[in-house]
Amino acid sequence: MNERQRARRPGGRSARVSAQVHQAVTDLISERGYGNFTVGEVAARAGVADSSIYRRWGSLETLLTDVALTRLNAQSPMPDTGSLAGDLRTYAAQVAREITGPDGPAVLHLAVALSSSGQQGAEAGADLRAERTRQLQSMLDRARDRGEHAPDAFDVLDHILAPMYIRVLFGMELTPGYVDGLVDRML
């Protein structure tokens, strides 16, 4: 198969390898925590060569950032319900489901750990926050374009996401009523 045919094929081996590597990372974080495994162990768990991981991602931190962003984007896309209140409620509920789901705590621990794991990890954590903030900002900009008063993206992080993350990190329950209350107070 030539490059042109490979580029047209949806999914395929590349998507399968990426999914296997992402799942291996998530499983290892769940089992051992951040910083307690190597690229070689990820490769062995995923059934690929470690050179494949280095070729595609370059470093463990870049791979970990990709895993966190991919999970966040797949599970918690930015909603567009037609109102800021609807968008924030839908988004907060999605995030709550994601971070309390089977892989959620591992991905959340990963995002936190990236920020405090040396220069490369700090850069990866900053990239993760910047992308999520950019996505939040797009939702808030849509609300402003509709004439609604929208908070700053960092206010959403501080008043909606951070309390949910803290509760999950400390093993506390996230109920729908609690999540809606966070949105109500933000609005």
Side-chain angles (χ1 to χ4, degrees):
M1 175 181 299
N2 67 34
E3 284 300 314
R4 190 169 177 199
Q5 290 168 318
R6 190 175 300 121
R8 279 198 234 153
R9 186 176 62 182
R13 185 180 189 293
S14 179
R16 187 175 63 253
V17 166
S18 184
Q20 289 169 313
V21 169
H22 280 218
Q23 190 59 54
V25 166
T26 303
D27 292 346
L28 285 165
I29 291 169
S30 293
E31 293 168 16
R32 301 183 191 173
Y34 175 80
N36 297 315
F37 55 89
T38 65
V39 167
E41 290 170 307
V42 171
R45 175 77 59 107
V48 302
D50 56 352
S51 60
S52 294
I53 292 175
Y54 284 114
R55 187 172 38 258
R56 184 173 294 182
W57 288 280
S59 70
L60 184 58
E61 285 77 13
T62 303
L63 169 60
L64 296 174
T65 302
D66 185 49
V67 168
L69 273 174
T70 300
R71 294 288 174 133
L72 287 171
N73 291 337
Q75 299 297 321
S76 303
M78 290 298 129
D80 188 0
T81 66
S83 74
L84 178 60
D87 289 351
L88 286 174
R89 285 186 201 298
T90 301
Y91 178 65
Q94 289 171 345
V95 171
R97 278 191 304 276
E98 167 63 12
I99 64 176
T100 59
D103 296 333
V107 174
L108 184 56
H109 283 281
L110 168 59
V112 171
L114 277 171
S115 297
S116 60
S117 64
Q119 181 63 30
Q120 196 172 20
E123 289 172 10
D127 290 346
L128 177 63
R129 285 187 308 278
E131 176 61 16
R132 210 52 177 161
T133 301
R134 184 195 64 73
Q135 293 171 346
L136 274 172
Q137 192 60 55
S138 71
M139 178 177 63
L140 299 171
D141 289 345
R142 277 196 315 269
R144 284 188 193 96
D145 291 345
R146 290 188 300 259
E148 296 179 85
H149 174 72
D152 180 82
F154 287 107
D155 286 337
V156 175
L157 291 170
D158 288 342
H159 299 286
I160 296 176
L161 298 180
M164 290 194 302
Y165 292 169
I166 291 296
R167 278 179 150 322
V168 170
L169 287 170
F170 287 102
M172 299 166 69
E173 188 178 10
L174 263 187
T175 65
Y178 175 78
V179 173
D180 281 344
L182 293 172
V183 174
D184 289 341
R185 285 187 293 282
M186 173 85 253
L187 294 172

